[in-house]
Each structure stands twice: as structure tokens, then as C-alpha cells.
């Protein structure tokens, strides 16, 4: 009886993937080549220099973002990763996170701007984001594996789809939260919509946008282990290896390295987000006194 009312959604999805694979094989091959090239370039930039150079550069970025305390904490966390012999795997993971986060941010911020400026676009995008956030992350790996085969690219694609939703939502929230009077003042002075967006809305929405970037990076790191299951390597591959071997020590060291990277990236992006959180306001002009008895009033002595 239940078979009569079964919806063949799984078969429809499988057929759609087959059609996409056959019709757009060259397109997906191009995407795979681009993502592979980006990943290998970032990985080479992180792995080729000596370890102490990378630590100094990341500590300098942390100093610029939030101060010397974060710089010391960043250096200490990276030294812990070196101490547990997970440096190469950590750089592979950091490259995957940076590439995935960069692509997710480049897609999510324009979508957030579009949703903030158009109610119709917002109503269309919101259910799609709900679907992306509630779908189990493992499900994204199935079509990614079919379209891009085993390797780092399926992990990047699944990470992008899973992580971009907060970027869209918080960008829209930040732009919609800008004071209407400020926007109306821009219109009153004859500013174009693009100029209002670039010089008023985006700067005032910066803390919310950076919070979205922060969440994109954190969700990308949460996909590290799942990406390791499809051959992405890095710390995720070490965690998967520890699970298959029941190796508690390896799992703890790899997990501790993931936590260290997560804290460093979280504090750095949080520091950049807080950089524009304080907006200086001019003091209201004091009323001019015309009372002759007021010592602050300048008196003009007529010429004799």
C-alpha cells in the first residue's frame, strides 16, 4: 500500500544528476581544474616558505587585526600544531578553508546585497538558504563525488554550499539595519543608488558582514572532517584515519590542531569586524549666546 503513494524524489534527483553529468561534463571539468589550481596555489603559498615565516606572517595579521595579545596567542597556537607534527596537514586544511571561504564570500555577499535591495529576491533566496542549512552535510558529498570525482574538489564544493548561507543572511540583515534617515539623506544630496550602497550602507553594515564572514569560515572548518572522507586530506584525513584505526592519540592531535586553527581564524576575523564597529559622532553644535553678560560673548568696541 505504501508503494502506491511513494514519491520518486530520489529517482528524479538521480536522473537530474545523470543529465547534468552527461550534458555539462566539460563545464564541471573546467570547475574542477579551476578549484584544483586555486587550492594548489594557496597550499603552495602556505607550505613552501619556512614554518617560522608563516607563523610570523599570521602573527602580524593577528597583531594588525586585534593587537599583540592575539599575535602571541596565534604564534602559540601554531607552535602547538608544529609540536604535534601536524603542520603540513594543517596548511592543507587552511588552504582548503581559505579557498572555500573566499568563493563562498564572493557569492554570498552579492546575494545578500540583492536580497536586501529587493523583497522579491529575498523571498526567493530565503527558502533556498533554509534548504541548504537544514540538509545534512553528508548529502552534499554525493552529487559532488559524482560530478567531480574523489579528491579535494568535492570537499571544496560541499563546503561552499554548506557554509555560504550565513554570509547571505547576515549581509542582508546588516544592510536592512542601516538607519533609513541616513539613506534618505544620501538620496537628498543626489547620490546614486550605487554610491549609497558603497559609501553608506556597506560601511555601516560592516560589522554584520564580517560576522557573516566569520560564520562562513567556522562552518568551512566544521566540514574539514567530512571533506577528509572524500580524499581532501589535511587534518580531516587524519581524523578519518584515526577513526578507522581507533587511534586516540592521532585523533586528539588532529582535533587539537583543528581547534587551534578555528580559534585563530575566529579571533582574526572578529578583530577585523570590530575595527569599524565604533562610529565617531560629532557633538551637537552649542547654541550661540547673545547675552551681553555672558563672558564667552566677544564684545566689539566701536572706534572713537
Amino acid at each position: 500500500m505504501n508503494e502506491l503513494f511513494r514519491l520518486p524524489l530520489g529517482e528524479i534527483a538521480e536522473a537530474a544528476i545523470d543529465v547534468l553529468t552527461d550534458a555539462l561534463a566539460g563545464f564541471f571539468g573546467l570547475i574542477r581544474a579551476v578549484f584544483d589550481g586555486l587550492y594548489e596555489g594557496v597550499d603552495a603559498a602556505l607550505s613552501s616558505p619556512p614554518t617560522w615565516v608563516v607563523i610570523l606572517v599570521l602573527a602580524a595579521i593577528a597583531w594588525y587585526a586585534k593587537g599583540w595579545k592575539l599575535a602571541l596567542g596565534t604564534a602559540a597556537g601554531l607552535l602547538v600544531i608544529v609540536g604535534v607534527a601536524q603542520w603540513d596537514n594543517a596548511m592543507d586544511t587552511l588552504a582548503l578553508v581559505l579557498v572555500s571561504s573566499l568563493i563562498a564570500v564572493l557569492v554570498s555577499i552579492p546575494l545578500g546585497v540583492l536580497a536586501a535591495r529587493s523583497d522579491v529576491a529575498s523571498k526567493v533566496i530565503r527558502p533556498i538558504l533554509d534548504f541548504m542549512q537544514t540538509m545534512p552535510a553528508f548529502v552534499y558529498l554525493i552529487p559532488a563525488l559524482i560530478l567531480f570525482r574523489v579528491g579535494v574538489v568535492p570537499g571544496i564544493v560541499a563546503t561552499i554550499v554548506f557554509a555560504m548561507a550565513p554570509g547571505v543572511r547576515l549581509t542582508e540583515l546588516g544592510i536592512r539595519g542601516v538607519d533609513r534617515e541616513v539613506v534618505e539623506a544620501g538620496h537628498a544630496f543626489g547620490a546614486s543608488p550605487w554610491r549609497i550602497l558603497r559609501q553608506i550602507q556597506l560601511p555601516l553594515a560592516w560589522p554584520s558582514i564580517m560576522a557573516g564572514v566569520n560564520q562562513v569560515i567556522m562552518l568551512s572548518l566544521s566540514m574539514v572532517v567530512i571533506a577528509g572522507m572524500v580524499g581532501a586530506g589535511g587534518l580531516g584525513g587524519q581524523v578519518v584515519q584515526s577513526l578507522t584505526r581507533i587511534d586516540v592519540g592521532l585523533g586528539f592531535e588532529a582535533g587539537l590542531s583543528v581547534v587551534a586553527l578555528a580559534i585563530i581564524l575566529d579571533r582574526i576575523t572578529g578583530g577585523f569586524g570590530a575595527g569599524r564597529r565604533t562610529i565617531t559622532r560629532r557633538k551637537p553644535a552649542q547654541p550661540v549666546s547673545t547675552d551681553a553678560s555672558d563672558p564667552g560673548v566677544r564684545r566689539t568696541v566701536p572706534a572713537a
Side-chain angles (χ1 to χ4, degrees), residues 228-229 236-248 250-251:
M229 295 182 177
Q238 294 294 296
V239 173
V240 173
Q241 184 177 345
S242 69
L243 287 173
T244 57
R245 297 180 178 179
I246 323 263
D247 190 339
V248 178
L250 179 61

Side-chain angles (χ1 to χ4, degrees), residues 60-67 70 267-272 275:
I61 295 173
W63 187 305
Y64 180 78
K66 206 168 183 179
L70 181 59
R267 298 300 186 270
I268 290 176
T269 54
F272 281 117

